[in-house]
Amino acid sequence: MLHKCEGYVIRTVPYGETNKIVTLYTRELGKVGVMARGAKKTNSRLSSITQPFTHGSFLFQRGQGIGTLQQGERLSSTRSIQQDIMKTAYASYLSELLDKSVEESKQDPFLFEFFHQLMSRLEDGNDPEILTAIFEIKLLPLLGYYPTLNQCANCGETEGHFHFSIRENGLLCHRCFEVDPYRFQVTPHTIRLIRVFYAFDLSRLGNISVKEQTKKEIRQVIDSYYEEYTGIFIKSKRFLRQMTSDMWNLSSSNEKET
C-alpha cells in the first residue's frame, strides 16, 4: 500500500553499500521505518531528501515488513540547522529523544505539530537550550511521568518557597525541605519557568531571555529527573553536553578577561 505523509527524518542507518534505513516521524502515521534504496549515492534522487532533520513529503510503499521509500519532496528549509554545528547537535539530540520516546506507528498529530514548531524555532535561531528544555518537560506525560508542579508533593501546600525533589517527584515547600536533604535548591524563577514550560504552547514563544545560571538549574533538574525515572539513554546527549560545557567555559573566560 502506498502512503504519502508529511514528516521529518529523525534517524538514518547505512544498509549495505548504497542503501539507508530511514526513520521518519510523520503527521499521519507516527514513526515509520523505510528503506531508501541507493540513497547513499550522491546522484540518487533520494540522497538529499533522506538527510537528517529534513522536513518533507514522503511517498513510500508499506507492507508487512519495513516500507520502501519511493520519492520525497522538501517542504521547508533546515539548512541553518544542517550548517551550524551547535544547531546540529541540538537537533540530533531532539530527534533521538523523540525516536526513543515514541512507539512505531503510534499516531500523535499534536506531538508532530509540536516537534515541527520546535524545529522551525531552532531553524529561526531561537535559544536551543530553552527549546530543548521545553521539549523534555512536555514529553514527560507521554512517557508516563507527572511531576507535581502546582503544589508541594509532600503536604499539598500551594504557597511558600519551593525547591525541586527528584525523590518526591516534584516540588517541596519550605515546610517540607527536611523530607529530602538532596533536593535541588533552585530559585523561584527556575521553579516558575519549569511550571510554564510544562504547560507551554510553543506557538506563543517570543524572544525569551533566560540567565545562564537559571538555565543551569533547569538543566540539572531535567537531567536528574530523566536519569532517575525514564531510563532513556541518548548517545548524542554526551556530545551536546560537552559542547555546551565548552561554550560555557569559553564565555566565562571571556567575561573574566573583560
Side-chain angles (χ1 to χ4, degrees):
M1 180 181 293
L2 278 175
H3 298 272
K4 187 176 183 179
C5 298
E6 177 188 357
Y8 278 87
V9 175
I10 61 172
R11 180 160 59 99
T12 64
V13 179
Y15 187 81
E17 293 184 3
T18 61
N19 308 323
K20 292 181 186 177
I21 296 177
V22 180
T23 302
L24 305 172
Y25 189 66
T26 71
R27 186 186 296 275
E28 295 84 359
L29 297 175
K31 187 170 72 171
V32 178
V34 294
M35 177 72 73
R37 300 191 182 280
K40 289 173 64 178
K41 297 178 180 178
T42 55
N43 61 348
S44 169
R45 58 188 174 83
L46 298 180
S47 177
S48 63
I49 199 67
T50 56
Q51 296 301 309
F53 327 127
T54 296
H55 173 223
S57 175
F58 300 90
L59 181 68
F60 54 90
Q61 191 166 19
R62 199 177 183 205
Q64 292 292 333
I66 190 169
T68 302
L69 183 63
Q70 303 292 330
Q71 63 186 54
E73 177 185 2
R74 192 180 297 271
L75 293 179
S76 62
S77 174
T78 53
R79 181 176 297 178
S80 170
I81 295 175
Q82 293 168 332
Q83 294 181 347
D84 184 299
I85 188 169
M86 282 300 296
K87 289 183 180 181
T88 296
Y90 276 99
S92 297
Y93 172 67
L94 294 168
S95 297
E96 190 177 353
L97 178 58
L98 177 66
D99 186 25
K100 292 286 183 68
S101 300
V102 297
E103 299 175 5
E104 190 86 14
S105 301
K106 187 173 182 180
Q107 183 184 12
D108 190 338
F110 297 104
L111 180 59
F112 176 86
E113 183 60 30
F114 188 79
F115 186 75
H116 174 48
Q117 292 179 17
L118 189 81
M119 297 297 280
S120 297
R121 298 281 182 173
L122 184 60
E123 172 72 16
D124 290 342
N126 285 184
D127 189 327
E129 197 165 356
I130 294 302
L131 293 174
T132 300
I134 294 172
F135 189 57
E136 289 171 319
I137 291 173
K138 290 189 75 67
L139 270 184
L140 290 177
L142 178 69
L143 295 169
Y145 303 103
Y146 302 87
T148 302
L149 299 176
N150 293 321
Q151 62 186 35
C152 177
N154 187 60
C155 72
E157 286 288 342
T158 58
E159 300 294 331
H161 181 59
F162 293 91
H163 289 167
F164 195 95
S165 170
I166 301 297
R167 191 175 73 183
E168 298 300 315
N169 191 27
L171 302 182
L172 284 180
C173 71
H174 63 274
R175 307 166 191 85
C176 302
F177 282 169
E178 73 281 357
V179 171
D180 182 8
Y182 302 105
R183 66 192 183 277
F184 285 102
Q185 301 181 35
V186 295
T187 65
H189 186 55
T190 296
I191 295 296
R192 186 161 55 250
L193 283 177
I194 290 174
R195 284 171 165 168
V196 167
F197 292 170
Y198 189 71
F200 197 69
D201 180 354
L202 195 59
S203 64
R204 297 168 53 198
L205 180 67
N207 293 322
I208 185 170
S209 179
V210 180
K211 294 180 179 178
E212 290 300 327
Q213 183 57 37
T214 303
K215 289 182 187 179
K216 189 175 181 180
E217 290 182 359
I218 293 173
R219 172 57 40 220
Q220 288 174 332
V221 169
I222 294 175
D223 284 354
S224 297
Y225 194 96
Y226 265 76
E227 183 177 342
E228 178 68 23
Y229 287 104
T230 70
I232 296 176
F233 175 73
I234 308 295
K235 292 180 180 178
S236 56
K237 189 172 188 176
R238 180 179 299 177
F239 175 66
L240 176 59
R241 291 293 164 257
Q242 184 59 52
M243 287 192 65
T244 53
S245 176
D246 290 344
M247 292 293 290
W248 170 272
N249 293 335
L250 180 61
S251 176
S252 299
S253 176
N254 289 339
E255 288 178 3
K256 290 178 181 178
E257 290 177 3
T258 56

